Amino acid sequence: MAVRRPVLAGNWKMHKDPEEARAFISAFAEQYAARDDRSVILFPPALSLAAAREAASSRGDLKFGVQNIHFEARGAYTGEISAGMAAAAGADYVLVGHSERRHLFGETVSGTIKKVEAALGAGLSPVLCVGETLEDRRDGRAESVVREQLDPVLEAVADDAADRLLVAYEPVWAIGTGETASPSDAEAMHRFVRSRLVARFREGAAARIPILYGGSVKPENVEELLARPEVDGALVGGASLEPESFYRICSVAS
Ligand code: PGA
């Protein structure tokens, strides 16, 4: 088996109340049978996490995460949830630094460092999302922007926590736009991300960290993206909202 099992993840963003989450899981679980050659993770809105997990109670292969956490463990932070609360509610993963958090909610690199630390401290696996804007890419700054988002966070991850980290490369210009990075552009950036992981961690540990691609992934393009050796999975937004389409994505040959 490859060093890294493919990871197919669905980020529902602000979609699906508890009832809708339940309906999705029932329909998806009917089609998708457990497979040990890949991981499937869903990121429902935090309020729908319990319902989604309950609907998947007989399906230990389906994992869940939350889309965001606050880095403090508790306190007067109206509207926020902590990593510990997410873990207690059944999350195993958390998205950190999604471009919508960075661009719409002002999340900074120092915020992502604290969130990754909080996630690891609470036993969650952080999925660190990085990616450049179209302007960055046009100006030839794609790699330096990704490096600025990545390196300081990697510094904050202890060596023995490397195995719990995942990275998602999501070019901002490809998210929700129908534009996808070409498989070769995606692979080039994944290679660059891998080189940063190797610079920070021991080679073996760096080689085990999955690097997911995100940005308008759909059943029609997932196969060619995953065929690239450095593309270890997909973080899917829009196309994860329908059971049939997410099933087709999760069934891609690896
Ligand atoms: P998209 O979203 O698949 O709808 O482009 C991906 C993401 O934002 O994680």
Side-chain angles (χ1 to χ4, degrees), residues 70-88:
H70 192 278
F71 47 80
E72 294 291 353
R74 67 190 63 76
Y77 301 102
T78 300
E80 298 291 323
I81 57 169
S82 71
M85 290 170 187

Side-chain angles (χ1 to χ4, degrees), residues 37-165:
D37 64 347
R38 63 201 57 202
S39 304
V40 173
I41 311 169
L42 287 161
F43 292 89
L47 276 177
S48 300
L49 175 64
R53 281 208 71 224
E54 190 187 279
S57 58
S58 63
R59 291 293 301 267
D61 61 309
L62 303 179
K63 302 295 181 197
F64 292 92
V66 289
Q67 301 168 13
N68 183 36
I69 48 165
H70 192 278
F71 47 80
E72 294 291 353
R74 67 190 63 76
Y77 301 102
T78 300
E80 298 291 323
I81 57 169
S82 71
M85 290 170 187
D92 289 315
Y93 296 85
V94 57
L95 300 179
V96 177
H98 187 278
S99 70
E100 285 149 21
R101 300 299 319 170
R102 292 180 196 264
H103 296 284
L104 303 175
F105 300 99
E107 186 149 312
T108 59
V109 171
S110 66
T112 61
I113 294 172
K114 290 183 196 160
K115 288 182 182 190
V116 164
E117 289 172 337
L120 291 169
L124 297 177
S125 290
V127 181
L128 176 67
C129 305
V130 297
E132 82 286 357
T133 63
L134 191 54
E135 203 184 349
D136 296 331
R137 180 158 280 263
R138 285 199 183 126
D139 293 350
R141 285 187 281 117
E143 285 191 353
S144 62
V145 164
V146 166
R147 184 180 180 149
E148 281 157 24
Q149 294 171 348
L150 191 60
D151 280 10
V153 180
L154 299 182
E155 282 309 314
V157 175
D159 287 356
D160 63 1
D163 273 347
R164 287 165 47 211
L165 179 69

Side-chain angles (χ1 to χ4, degrees), residues 193-215:
V193 170
R194 181 75 58 202
S195 74
R196 302 315 306 154
L197 298 174
V198 170
R200 166 63 190 88
F201 300 109
R202 288 184 316 276
E203 190 108 14
R208 284 193 295 274
I209 298 174
I211 307 173
L212 280 50
Y213 171 80

Side-chain angles (χ1 to χ4, degrees), residues 11 13 95 98-100 129 170 174-179 214-218 235-240:
N11 170 15
K13 308 190 180 185
L95 300 179
H98 187 278
S99 70
E100 285 149 21
C129 305
E170 300 202 300
I175 295 179
T177 58
E179 297 271 341
S216 297
V217 174
K218 38 187 185 274
L235 180 55
V236 188
S240 73

Side-chain angles (χ1 to χ4, degrees), residues 226-247:
L226 262 73
R228 300 287 169 145
E230 284 295 340
V231 179
D232 306 319
L235 180 55
V236 188
S240 73
L241 293 174
E242 289 299 326
E244 166 73 19
S245 124
F246 193 54
Y247 164 72

